[in-house]
Amino acid sequence: MILDLAASIRERYHFTLEQIASAARRSGRSPEDVRLVVVTKSQPLEVVQAAIEAGVRILGENYPEEGVTKIQSIPPQSGVEWHMIGHVQSRKARLVAEHFALLHSLDSLKLAQRLDRFAAEQNRLLPVLLEFNVGGEESKSGWNASDESLWDAFLPDVEAIVDLPHLRVQGLMTMPPLTADPNDARRFFQRLRRLRDHLASLFPQADWHELSMGTSADYPVAVEEGATLVRVGTAIVGARKIKSEKEAL
Ligand SMILES: *Cc1c(COP(=O)(O)O)cnc(C)c1O
């Protein structure tokens, strides 16, 4: 059973890696500049185990408690890196600061301050990406960056976050509106990249090289537009098994 699962995940994982590599080459980029995060949110532990068996090295989770339960069930020597990609409530900040290698979805100054405090207690630097809402949808997290006239409004938050001593800003993340044609997502990815360039010019003291964008629906387009991290779930591990009321995607 697990072996069958691992074999089918391996096949889809390698197919996805090939798609990423050709999208990168098409746009004059190196395939090594893009990392594939396999999203196992709402998937049972056996899917996580099969993904690791299939060679997956970076796993993405959306809910801190579910993620930590999985992290603690996998031997640390398996060498997988765990990323938090979902909205984090303030009271879950400690779990994230203690257990995850990268937070993609930092979406408020208040959360940043709590993470900074818990990271300090752990004696670690927590790498984070700032999440921006490039489509302006009510249902999406992140600072509203749907129009350039709004970009000044979040600069004080960004400046304060960049200055937090136990967080390391490494770039931006977005979850654009779902579009029927993946090409329609292109302008949202371009907007995130422009915003990244803008923030990099304003705050050169931070590292802005990561762009986390693209899911099963549109990752090749995201890579063409500069993604350095793509977050792919269903296209590799199949439909999510555990239903959650927070699953608004
Ligand atoms: C669920 C999720 C993904 C993966 O979506 P798929 O459609 O399964 O590829 C990527 N990013 C975030 C933030 C998610 O919540």
Side-chain angles (χ1 to χ4, degrees), residues 31-241:
E32 293 87 71
D33 293 345
V34 187
R35 289 187 291 159
L36 170 55
V37 180
V38 176
V39 178
T40 46
K41 63 157 177 247
S42 307
Q43 296 280 3
L45 187 63
E46 67 183 44
V47 168
V48 171
Q49 290 164 330
I52 295 168
E53 173 70 30
V56 170
R57 283 297 161 260
I58 309 177
L59 292 169
E61 287 284 335
N62 279 60
Y63 313 108
E65 270 143 353
E66 181 188 328
V68 169
T69 303
K70 288 171 178 168
I71 291 169
Q72 290 173 339
S73 310
I74 299 295
Q77 61 271 26
S78 65
V80 290
E81 192 174 297
W82 295 87
H83 292 189
M84 173 51 54
I85 65 169
H87 171 69
V88 177
Q89 293 166 289
S90 286
R91 61 199 166 82
K92 304 289 169 65
R94 181 190 291 278
L95 289 175
V96 173
E98 289 182 3
H99 295 281
F100 290 87
L102 173 66
L103 171 64
H104 290 228
S105 44
L106 178 55
D107 58 8
S108 75
L109 176 57
K110 181 178 167 227
L111 175 62
Q113 288 164 335
R114 285 181 67 88
L115 290 165
D116 182 66
R117 183 148 54 84
F118 294 130
E121 283 175 17
Q122 293 289 309
N123 234 326
R124 72 175 290 210
L125 292 176
L126 178 68
V128 297
L129 310 181
L130 307 185
E131 179 172 359
F132 288 94
N133 180 351
V134 290
E137 295 166 288
E138 286 283 340
S139 61
K140 297 282 164 72
S141 302
W143 288 274
N144 189 345
S146 55
D147 188 292
E148 291 194 21
S149 67
L150 300 170
W151 288 9
D152 282 348
F154 47 70
L155 295 183
D157 283 358
V158 173
E159 182 164 30
I161 292 169
V162 162
D163 283 342
L164 290 171
H166 294 89
L167 299 191
R168 277 293 170 273
V169 174
Q170 298 189 329
L172 312 187
M173 179 272 217
T174 197
M175 192 76 186
L178 255 190
T179 52
D181 177 350
N183 269 306
D184 294 340
R186 190 178 299 277
R187 65 196 176 97
F188 297 113
F189 298 139
Q190 290 169 340
R191 186 171 295 155
L192 192 73
R193 191 181 60 199
R194 267 204 313 278
L195 175 57
R196 187 274 303 276
D197 294 346
H198 181 60
L199 293 177
S201 71
L202 293 175
F203 304 107
Q205 67 271 40
D207 165 11
W208 297 97
H209 81 278
E210 302 284 13
L211 283 176
S212 171
M213 54 192 198
T215 66
S216 295
D218 49 23
Y219 68 89
V221 177
V223 170
E224 287 172 7
E225 296 304 331
T228 61
L229 287 157
V230 294
R231 311 176 308 266
V232 181
T234 48
I236 296 175
V237 293
R240 289 181 265 282
K241 309 215 162 45

